[in-house]
Amino acid sequence: KAEPKAKAKAKAKVKAKKEVKPAGSFKVCVCGGSGGIGQPLSLLMGMDPNVGELCLFDLDVAMVPPAGVAADLGHLERKCSVKGYVMP
């Protein structure tokens, strides 16, 4: 016996639902996070409620050390943890 179209569509919708990640579960890495473009990008990423951890990477020859930028972004009133790393 064939199923009615409405039941078949309802079953297809249940199967098609995707698993949604909870807010604040993403780990984001910004390469060049101490530069002129990386700092504002890091600020925007730090303010995003979907980001739980933000890692800033930059070279040791950068004008501003990534640890300093990470310290500045650590004062945001968000639950995002920020870490800075130097690439030699």
Side-chain angles (χ1 to χ4, degrees), residues 14 31 46 50 57-58 63 77 80:
V14 171
C31 298
N50 294 320
F57 282 85
D58 212 331
M63 297 296 287
E77 293 186 15
C80 178

Side-chain angles (χ1 to χ4, degrees), residues 3-72:
E3 292 182 352
K5 287 184 180 181
K7 284 186 179 180
K9 284 183 180 180
K11 283 184 180 179
K13 283 184 181 180
V14 171
K15 288 181 183 178
K17 284 189 178 180
K18 294 182 180 179
E19 186 177 322
V20 179
K21 290 195 170 209
S25 64
F26 289 99
K27 181 176 182 178
V28 177
C29 170
V30 178
C31 298
S34 298
I37 296 172
Q39 285 183 14
L41 176 64
S42 300
L43 177 64
L44 290 173
M45 288 287 109
M47 294 296 291
D48 190 338
N50 294 320
V51 177
E53 184 176 349
L54 179 63
C55 298
L56 306 175
F57 282 85
D58 212 331
L59 300 174
D60 57 354
V61 295
M63 297 296 287
V64 180
V69 177
D72 290 341

